Amino acid sequence: MKSNMIRVENIKKYFPIKDGFFNNKSGDVKAVENVSFEIPEGEILGLVGESGSGKSTLGRAIIRLIEPTQGNIFYKNKNITKLSDSEMRKLRKDFQIIFQDPYASLDPRKKVFDIISQGLKVHEKIDKNSMNQRVEEIIQDVGLQKEHLNRYPHEFSGGQRQRIGIARALVLNPKFIIADEPVSALDVTIQAQILNLILELKKKYSLTILFISHDLSVINQIADRVMVMYLGHIVEVANTSNLFSNPQHPYTRSLIETAPQIFRKNKKKTLLKGDIPSPINPPSGCVFRTRCPNPGIDCKGGNIEMGLIEIEPGHWVDQCCANCN
């Protein structure tokens, strides 16, 4: 049994709302609410949900790009939420992120070599020849050529720019990568190439990945397990084949049934009404009740708590909605 690379316990992330002349706090944006999960070493965990569900916030909180409001994050059984800034800086090379926009995430004033080598200059004490060799090796691993290192980001296509972003993330030999919607800005054919590249590099570099996406076809292709997020809460977790063949939460079913035809076994669609509620003032009780096609009479109660229960080995679903099924 593989050990856990990442373990998250009861993470919350609130963003304070301040207004008025004295900039007083008037409330909170509850972006992530009491989330717990584990990522075994070598796994690709897919995180899926609508825009505004808190996926990117959760990803950044895990590696402390933003500080969690509450909870604990363990990296190889070491609680990194307790580390000082200087202690955390020493671990930074183990955590990398691939961003959604492959152009905005690259400095347009720097050549590709400088973009990729920047992490080495900060975290590694190596000579110039070793640096050149490492950068040339990684640029070829992502499917580009050495001559590309002397060009600027605007000289590349979107898919090539994302390859540069992947090279920058991998140059430090990280152990854990967050891929935040890395193919959503790309054409479909280029998406497939980048996904295959990530799978190849995951195997070569023994990576553990949190792959964030709203596209179920992407998640189905790349993830070992899937975690479904709604309004800051995790509502279902299962291995990929079980989730798509036997979704238990009504939100998960709606996401699958309204996806492209490849995922639908029949013409039935469970269309959710309305938009995702505001995280400033989420619904009381079960946060999904305002859009649930079959809400229970107790879902509105103040004593209803969001939390996962295991309905079969490895398949977890929110306890309130499991009872409503």
Side-chain angles (χ1 to χ4, degrees):
M1 184 176 180
K2 292 183 178 180
S3 59
N4 289 320
M5 175 72 72
I6 298 292
R7 188 170 87 251
V8 175
E9 294 181 351
N10 304 315
I11 282 293
K12 295 183 180 181
K13 179 57 186 177
Y14 294 174
F15 294 98
I17 303 170
K18 297 183 178 181
D19 52 27
F21 181 78
F22 295 103
N23 203 29
N24 293 324
K25 180 180 174 181
S26 60
D28 288 298
V29 176
K30 299 177 180 179
V32 178
E33 187 70 75
N34 207 35
V35 168
S36 299
F37 62 93
E38 299 172 345
I39 310 179
E41 188 174 345
E43 181 182 81
I44 298 180
L45 176 64
L47 179 59
V48 66
E50 292 172 287
S51 296
S53 61
K55 305 186 301 298
S56 294
T57 300
L58 176 59
R60 283 163 171 75
I62 292 171
I63 57 175
R64 289 184 58 189
L65 285 183
I66 56 176
E67 292 294 336
T69 304
Q70 183 179 314
N72 294 296
I73 303 157
F74 295 86
Y75 167 63
K76 293 184 175 180
N77 294 321
K78 184 175 185 177
N79 192 342
I80 65 173
T81 52
K82 307 297 184 182
L83 299 182
S84 65
D85 289 344
S86 60
E87 290 172 325
M88 191 64 197
R89 196 173 298 117
K90 296 176 182 178
L91 284 178
R92 283 293 174 200
K93 65 179 182 179
D94 286 356
F95 311 135
Q96 293 295 314
I97 186 166
I98 302 170
F99 295 96
Q100 177 177 358
D101 189 334
Y103 187 70
S105 63
L106 302 177
D107 190 336
R109 300 166 298 177
K110 291 185 176 181
K111 292 183 178 181
V112 171
F113 179 88
D114 296 320
I115 291 172
I116 296 175
S117 64
Q118 185 174 11
L120 292 172
K121 295 174 183 176
V122 173
H123 292 285
E124 300 283 356
K125 295 180 179 179
I126 59 176
D127 57 61
K128 186 175 181 180
N129 288 336
S130 298
M131 181 182 296
N132 291 343
Q133 183 178 353
R134 177 60 182 152
V135 172
E136 289 175 4
E137 176 187 339
I138 200 69
I139 200 71
Q140 292 177 356
D141 280 349
V142 299
L144 297 176
Q145 306 300 321
K146 287 195 295 184
E147 53 264 29
H148 291 142
L149 292 171
N150 290 317
R151 300 181 187 176
Y152 291 91
H154 73 269
E155 300 179 68
F156 296 91
S157 66
Q160 289 175 317
R161 286 196 288 264
Q162 195 58 287
R163 291 174 188 268
I164 296 168
I166 294 171
R168 178 179 59 182
L170 290 181
V171 74
L172 286 169
N173 285 317
K175 303 297 185 293
F176 177 60
I177 284 183
I178 292 177
D180 189 2
E181 301 268 11
V183 297
S184 63
L186 306 177
D187 294 337
V188 175
T189 53
I190 305 302
Q191 284 186 12
Q193 294 176 16
I194 297 298
L195 291 176
N196 288 334
L197 175 64
I198 291 174
L199 288 172
E200 292 171 4
L201 295 172
K202 179 251 183 184
K203 184 176 180 180
K204 179 174 181 177
Y205 288 95
S206 301
L207 299 171
T208 303
I209 301 174
L210 176 66
F211 194 100
I212 301 171
S213 181
H214 65 273
D215 190 331
L216 288 167
S217 63
V218 169
I219 291 293
N220 185 52
Q221 180 177 341
I222 200 168
D224 300 306
R225 284 191 306 140
V226 184
M227 191 163 63
V228 183
M229 194 169 190
Y230 181 81
L231 200 60
H233 295 265
I234 302 302
V235 296
E236 188 164 4
V237 183
N239 68 54
T240 304
S241 59
N242 281 354
L243 189 95
F244 282 99
S245 63
N246 187 31
Q248 291 297 305
H249 196 282
Y251 180 60
T252 308
R253 284 199 294 268
S254 177
L255 291 178
I256 293 173
E257 291 169 4
T258 55
Q261 186 66 37
I262 187 172
F263 292 122
R264 294 204 298 269
K265 296 180 180 179
N266 53 54
K267 296 181 180 180
K268 179 183 176 183
K269 295 182 183 180
T270 304
L271 297 177
L272 299 180
K273 53 188 177 182
D275 297 320
I276 189 169
S278 170
I280 299 174
N281 186 27
S284 60
C286 176
V287 297
F288 186 65
R289 65 176 177 80
T290 58
R291 303 177 74 194
C292 183
N294 185 34
I297 58 175
D298 297 325
C299 292
K300 191 176 181 180
N303 59 345
I304 292 292
E305 294 185 4
M306 300 291 290
L308 299 176
I309 58 172
E310 191 173 24
I311 58 172
E312 60 179 339
H315 195 152
W316 299 75
V317 66
D318 177 67
Q319 56 188 346
C320 178
C321 293
N323 294 331
C324 291
N325 272 337

